[in-house]
Amino acid sequence: MGKILDDVVDSGGIEVIIQNESDKTIPRCQHGPALLFEKTGHGKEKGRRFYACSACRDRKDCNFFQWADEKISEARMLAREEQNRSKMPLFSHQEYFTRFREFVSLPLEQRRFCVDCQILIFPGEWANHGKHKSLSEDVTVQRLKRPSLLLCPLDNKKSNAQYLFADRSCHFLLDMLLGLGFQKILCVGTPRLHEVIKFRNMEGKSPTVKSLLLDIDYRYCQFFDQDEFCHYNMFNHHFFDDEEAVTSFQGFLREEGGAKVVMVTDPPFGGLVKPLANSFSQMSMTWKKHNEVSDAAEMPMIWIFPYFFEPRILECFPSFSMLDYQVDYDNHPLYKHGKKGRKQSPVRLFTNLSPKDIILPEDEGYRFCSVCERFVSAGNKHCPKCDTCPSKDGREWRHCDECGRCVKPSWHHCSSCGHCALPDHPCGQSQTGCFNCGSQKHKLRACPKKHNKRMPVSGGRGAQGLSKHITGKSTAKNKRKRTVK
Ligand SMILES: C[S@@+](CC[C@H](N)C(=O)[O-])C[C@H]1O[C@@H](n2cnc3c(N)ncnc32)[C@H](O)[C@@H]1O
Ligand SMILES: [Zn+2]
Ligand SMILES: [Zn+2]
Ligand SMILES: [Zn+2]
Ligand SMILES: [Zn+2]
Ligand SMILES: [Zn+2]
Ligand SMILES: [Zn+2]
């Protein structure tokens, strides 16, 4: 099966097609309804559609594949259902949480956490885990309240990891949202933010905030009850525990007593912007349905993603803007803040909240640009010619008069190509058509959108991201990727 998938992906581009997820004919893998893809580009299979797993970038984790026009025999269907069932978690959410309650009532010396199985174990179960590595000390109540510190970040051999916020970023996010008056935070793929909220509530230092975590990592069922955690797939808006989870989710979105809701999400990078945006729109529609808001209202959202996805996110959510704040992670040597790590973090906040209301920390060099009416990073100098603070990566960009826009400091204007590029760019062969808007009908010089502040639209990124999603091949740019089991 994997071989077919590789061949399909290798021989051209791929487009994802959004379907109505309530459509019962969509085939399912263990991660819920599969996504529908269409082959683009050249080759004999152009236009042919197929289904593949929505959640796993690495086909070793889930190799689900089916041509859309393929007839599946009854026997194969049954075998597939059986396989999906066999991949289900050991216990139901309710059972997991009942175990947790019992577990915390045990004396400290009887509490163990099996590192190999990533599960809390009772004395009667120790024998079954006899050969496994386990933690037997320090499984304190305090530690159980920060499960992200107890659980190993999901990781596979290709260094796909769960990237957890550094405390600096986590507290910045929470303080900023509290400052804006939000009382309910929907944490989508942000377990560390969720637990920090709970922790702060217990300390009683800041106003009490409600939090609901939606994540595909069901290990969290062990620590959070059904009104605090839903096992969820954000690529197909699928709740694994169906009705119970959906009810809990809908209840959370109801702004009873005027408690304002905001959603914060930090999805794995994989280029699948379209299905993510579709899920977040579905959430926003549910929020709308359960609250008395105007037709044009959108649920307040913060989507944490690398800056180079800006054009694609804005395409899906035109009301969003990208903020300069650099999100910092704990378990990634590349993305540490400031000079200590090798690089500055490429991860930013995209939001439909008003940028001028989001005060970025002065002690980290951010300042307010009164022309742009937003906080910008230290190196991001306002360009009067572009009428914006143009830097995306935090470095000081330079205005090129020939290109009519600001460019990265490492770029130089190349007269053969007619635009700025890195000094060692493949001269003359890099791009056909317009460098600014991607159109094949004109060159940069004649671009009607030349003074438009958008980044150039690179034609292939969607397909690239997706083929990586399916094959697990990585592109240099999209290094932060991880896989979830
Ligand atoms: C980059 S990590 C973000 C963690 C966040 N920075 C934090 O510290 O809380 C991505 C998160 O999304 C979750 N995730 C990955 N794939 C998912 C999917 N298909 N649906 C829902 N959650 C997913 C992972 O389990 C992980 O918690
Ligand atoms: Zn799958
Ligand atoms: Zn074990
Ligand atoms: Zn400015
Ligand atoms: Zn400029
Ligand atoms: Zn130039
Ligand atoms: Zn050139």
Side-chain angles (χ1 to χ4, degrees), residues 5-6 8-15 37 50 56-59 270-272 460-475 478:
L5 207 51
D6 279 351
V8 167
V9 170
D10 285 346
S11 58
I14 288 162
E15 199 49 74
F37 298 98
F50 64 92
C56 299
R57 265 154 303 288
D58 191 335
R59 66 178 172 76
L272 287 176
R461 190 177 280 158
Q464 250 178 36
L466 204 47
S467 52
K468 179 173 71 68
H469 165 82
I470 292 170
T471 59
K473 285 174 192 160
S474 101
T475 55
N478 296 345

Side-chain angles (χ1 to χ4, degrees), residues 400 402-403 413 419-420:
C400 170
E402 277 123 312
C403 291
H413 194 83
H419 59 75
C420 283

Side-chain angles (χ1 to χ4, degrees), residues 45-59:
E45 265 160 357
K46 178 177 185 278
R48 196 160 179 204
R49 292 181 170 192
F50 64 92
Y51 289 99
C53 176
S54 60
C56 299
R57 265 154 303 288
D58 191 335
R59 66 178 172 76

